Amino acid sequence: FLILSFSTDWRFSKARSDELIQAMVRARKNVAGASIESSHGHDSFLLPIPRYFEILTTYMQRLALDLGHAT
């Protein structure tokens, strides 16, 4: 699982994302999380924010690599 939060997101706060991450860790789930600085609030995920794309790209590449080893 990948849980991302944006610093100014009023709909899904960083605190709530942190709660989800901790719950998943307690449940022994494989989870990664990051908080991304943005001044665009909830719509930040719609914008080309370099840090967002770096994290998402790295996560997807690792997922693809892991899935490739599973076959």
Side-chain angles (χ1 to χ4, degrees):
F1 296 93
L2 175 63
I3 298 177
L4 298 175
S5 62
F6 294 95
S7 60
T8 56
D9 189 340
W10 56 269
R11 180 91 169 109
F12 298 103
S13 69
K14 179 184 179 321
R16 182 64 177 137
S17 294
D18 291 344
E19 289 175 15
L20 291 170
I21 292 168
Q22 290 306 312
M24 295 179 89
V25 167
R26 285 191 302 275
R28 299 182 187 270
K29 301 297 180 188
N30 188 4
V31 60
S35 179
I36 301 164
E37 290 294 322
S38 173
S39 61
H40 302 287
H42 181 67
D43 291 335
S44 294
F45 73 97
L46 297 170
L47 302 170
I49 299 170
R51 184 71 180 136
Y52 172 56
F53 282 108
E54 291 168 12
I55 293 168
L56 189 56
T57 298
T58 299
Y59 178 80
M60 296 303 284
Q61 288 172 339
R62 289 181 182 170
L63 183 61
L65 187 61
D66 289 347
L67 290 174
H69 288 266
T71 58

